[in-house]
Amino acid sequence: PYDQCIDFERDDDYLVFGGDVWDQGGSDLFVIRQLLSLRKRYPDRVFFVLGNRDLNKMRFCQELTDDQHLGVYFMRGTGKMGDPDLGAMPSLRPTERLQWILKYTMGSPRAFDHRKQELEAERAAAGQYDPVCDEDVVESYRASCDPFTGELAEFLESSCLLLRLGEAAFMHGALPLTQPHLEAADGSLWDDMTFAMPWLERGVTARDVGVETIDDWNAALNDFCRRNVEGFRTQESDGIWARFGGYNLQPKDTQPFGPLMQYGT
């Protein structure tokens, strides 16, 4: 049972998991279930910070079920399969589509085989030795990324983009600091947090939405995350986010979780 696998050895220990729970090392399902189990038992001592590889899995709920795949916005102009300017992609079976998405748009060429190996290990542990087929891998991704019942949805709902514990702050990746930001800073860089809120409409500043301090920004960042995760879990959306991309480029009233995926991208 997952609730008997890992535990704290000391009463004053904390765990901050820094994100990117899937893709690279295999045993994806085992790891995420372990983490979720530990957090359920120690909600005040276990914290998750989201990474890009956690956020991009929200795409699967649409891209594995839609009849046509219209490509991804970040391949526009390449002339390669997946360039949205080329129109609908060739009709790929779900198994082929999943492998293409993982390899060419998520940088995870081994993830498909890793999942198959994990499913085989699960079956063997249960005394079942029938082979795992490619369709089983697709179904596993659909189930684990299901916005209502999947492990990913539970992980997203239990996570944040910025975690502050005492005087320490944890986030995945880095602030979007560039030389123009540094040169344009009037006084302290932290006086205007607009540069760290890229989802705001053009021309809207952090102060316009009440963000004047680091604590304000922390709250705004995690509220942005929470609202997008809620959008993912309710699935009030239309069309494939990856086709449009951007923060405010997609049609209005669609993709309520698209901005969070853009943030991860």
Side-chain angles (χ1 to χ4, degrees):
Y2 287 102
D3 60 1
Q4 297 179 13
C5 292
I6 57 175
D7 213 331
F8 285 114
E9 294 185 357
R10 300 180 1 163
D11 293 336
D12 58 350
D13 282 343
Y14 288 81
L15 171 67
V16 177
F17 181 78
D20 282 5
V21 67
W22 282 355
D23 280 349
Q24 299 299 335
S27 300
D28 289 350
L29 297 175
F30 179 79
V31 172
I32 196 170
R33 289 166 182 167
Q34 287 271 17
L35 290 170
L36 291 171
S37 170
L38 192 63
R39 178 167 169 77
K40 285 179 180 178
R41 287 177 284 133
Y42 301 99
D44 298 325
R45 296 168 60 190
V46 177
F47 304 94
F48 304 149
V49 177
L50 289 170
N52 52 297
R53 292 187 178 279
D54 309 314
L55 300 176
N56 64 14
K57 299 304 177 296
M58 293 189 286
R59 290 170 47 193
F60 284 137
C61 62
Q62 296 170 332
E63 293 185 64
L64 288 180
T65 57
D66 200 74
D67 292 336
Q68 285 189 321
H69 197 302
L70 300 177
V72 291
Y73 77 96
F74 43 80
M75 292 185 71
R76 179 170 278 114
T78 64
K80 300 178 180 179
M81 186 171 73
D83 182 340
D85 291 339
L86 300 180
M89 291 172 54
S91 179
L92 298 176
R93 294 184 298 119
T95 55
E96 297 170 328
R97 181 180 290 191
L98 175 59
Q99 292 181 72
W100 179 83
I101 291 171
L102 288 168
K103 182 176 182 179
Y104 292 104
T105 75
M106 291 189 177
S108 311
R110 297 168 296 179
F112 190 93
D113 290 338
H114 282 159
R115 180 62 64 92
K116 178 180 284 189
Q117 293 165 6
E118 182 172 14
L119 295 177
E120 290 172 344
E122 284 187 349
R123 288 188 181 182
Q128 303 170 3
Y129 298 97
D130 49 315
V132 174
C133 64
D134 287 353
E135 287 75 12
D136 293 329
V137 178
V138 173
E139 183 55 36
S140 175
Y141 267 93
R142 283 176 173 159
S144 59
C145 296
D146 185 278
F148 307 107
T149 60
E151 290 92 344
L152 174 73
E154 185 177 350
F155 183 82
L156 292 173
E157 194 167 63
S158 304
S159 305
C160 61
L161 291 176
L162 177 64
L163 171 68
R164 182 169 177 178
L165 292 177
E167 293 305 307
F170 303 83
M171 67 186 310
H172 184 96
L175 290 171
L177 293 174
T178 64
Q179 194 61 34
H181 287 138
L182 297 173
E183 293 174 351
D186 182 14
S188 169
L189 177 69
W190 312 107
D191 286 344
D192 184 357
M193 296 300 297
T194 304
F195 75 95
M197 301 174 67
W199 63 88
L200 295 177
E201 295 278 358
R202 188 181 301 275
V204 176
T205 69
R207 288 193 179 91
D208 292 336
V209 293
V211 174
E212 298 185 1
T213 68
I214 294 292
D215 287 336
D216 292 339
W217 173 65
N218 187 353
L221 189 64
N222 287 324
D223 181 64
F224 162 75
C225 179
R226 179 189 56 77
R227 287 184 283 104
N228 278 257
V229 170
E230 286 179 356
F232 169 69
R233 300 209 71 178
T234 57
Q235 283 296 287
E236 297 172 355
S237 58
D238 181 32
I240 296 178
W241 167 85
R243 164 80 166 115
F244 302 104
Y247 288 101
N248 301 298
L249 296 177
Q250 56 267 41
K252 295 298 181 182
D253 301 322
T254 68
Q255 303 312 325
F257 53 92
L260 184 58
M261 283 193 286
Q262 179 67 34
Y263 183 90
T265 301

